[in-house]
Amino acid sequence: MFLTRFRVNTARAGARRLLSSPQLLHGAVMASFAEPPPSVPSVAAGPAPRVLWRIDHNSRSEVLLYLVSPQRPDVTHLVEQAGWPTTGGWQTFDYGAFLAGIAAGSTFAFRLTANPVHSIRRNPDEPIKRTAHLTQHHQAAWLLKQQQRSGFTVVEKAPDRRLLPEGDEHELVVHRQQSVSFGKNDRVKAGRHTVTLVTATYDGRLRVTDPDALRRTLTAGLGKAKAYGCGLMTLAPVRG
């Protein structure tokens, strides 16, 4: 597995065009591989590794594309279209050693952009419909429900550090909630339709409970809309 970081030059028209459409950026990401990445079948041990990507808006001038993939990517086309062709490039790291070193009980800072959804029906006669969580409270609750199967628990705050009597028990911040719409070709209906995604970014601290399950989460993604910039969780050492 490989982890790639690419800084986007937001002053370029090509960068702004890509950032405006998860569909276009998905195509640009997949064009980073000479051979089509392997399909993503379900296997007995869980989902197989796949291509995942995420855009981090750290500031107006610092926008980063993170990419996790089974194959080493070549993002020269992104540098030419949305980077600094003569002075900037990208960094690709061997992700395998980091993944192998994940151990139960370890604590990490994490970031995740996800599509927090649930399936509901308003009455028994209606089909089940996938619906996005829209409030910060429900979006946080969605992530907490993923903990056990995903190999981690979000660290709980000490009681004296909680600012609210309810809803502030965890080292977790939900931010950058947004709704994005884009056109997508429909192969079945031979036309285009509009896709709308609600996304949220999560920052926090987690403790590893099941290293194998967490490795699957990091390489196969968490939640829906993985092709469109959702599901990629990254970890960093906890400082202080």
Side-chain angles (χ1 to χ4, degrees), residues 121-175:
R121 58 159 53 113
R122 290 176 296 183
N123 60 68
D125 297 327
E126 287 187 348
I128 295 176
K129 182 180 180 181
R130 186 180 296 168
T131 305
H133 289 298
L134 299 178
T135 68
Q136 188 179 69
H137 171 77
H138 287 103
Q139 290 169 345
W142 173 87
L143 179 62
L144 295 175
K145 288 181 181 178
Q146 315 303 315
Q147 296 177 99
Q148 183 175 2
R149 75 185 75 172
S150 301
F152 66 89
T153 57
V154 179
V155 174
E156 292 191 4
K157 293 180 180 178
D160 60 352
R161 295 184 55 233
R162 300 175 186 178
L163 302 179
L164 300 171
E166 292 185 24
D168 191 36
E169 297 90 351
H170 297 89
E171 296 273 3
L172 178 65
V173 176
V174 185
H175 61 102

Side-chain angles (χ1 to χ4, degrees), residues 30 34 37 58 68 75 91 118 128-129 174 206 213 221 229-231 233:
M30 300 309 286
N58 294 334
V68 164
V75 299
Q91 299 85 39
H118 61 138
I128 295 176
K129 182 180 180 181
V174 185
L206 62 77
C230 297
M233 174 182 279

Side-chain angles (χ1 to χ4, degrees), residues 183-198:
K184 180 182 178 182
N185 291 326
D186 190 325
R187 296 179 181 177
V188 176
K189 297 181 180 179
R192 287 180 67 81
H193 68 279
T194 299
V195 176
T196 300
L197 293 178
V198 172

Side-chain angles (χ1 to χ4, degrees), residues 27-125:
V29 165
M30 300 309 286
S32 302
F33 305 95
E35 299 295 332
S39 58
V40 192
S42 295
V43 294
R50 60 172 293 160
V51 175
L52 301 166
W53 60 272
R54 186 184 77 224
I55 291 289
D56 282 5
H57 295 262
N58 294 334
S59 68
R60 181 175 296 181
S61 61
E62 186 181 59
V63 177
L64 300 173
L65 167 66
Y66 285 93
L67 170 61
V68 164
S69 56
Q71 304 167 9
R72 180 181 290 273
D74 182 340
V75 299
T76 302
H77 61 298
L78 283 173
V79 176
E80 294 170 346
Q81 183 178 1
W84 285 266
T86 61
T87 61
W90 71 92
Q91 299 85 39
T92 294
F93 309 94
D94 184 347
Y95 205 26
F98 174 79
L99 293 172
I102 293 175
S106 300
T107 302
F108 295 94
F110 73 87
R111 173 167 287 184
L112 164 73
T113 293
N115 171 225
V117 297
H118 61 138
S119 297
I120 61 170
R121 58 159 53 113
R122 290 176 296 183
N123 60 68
D125 297 327

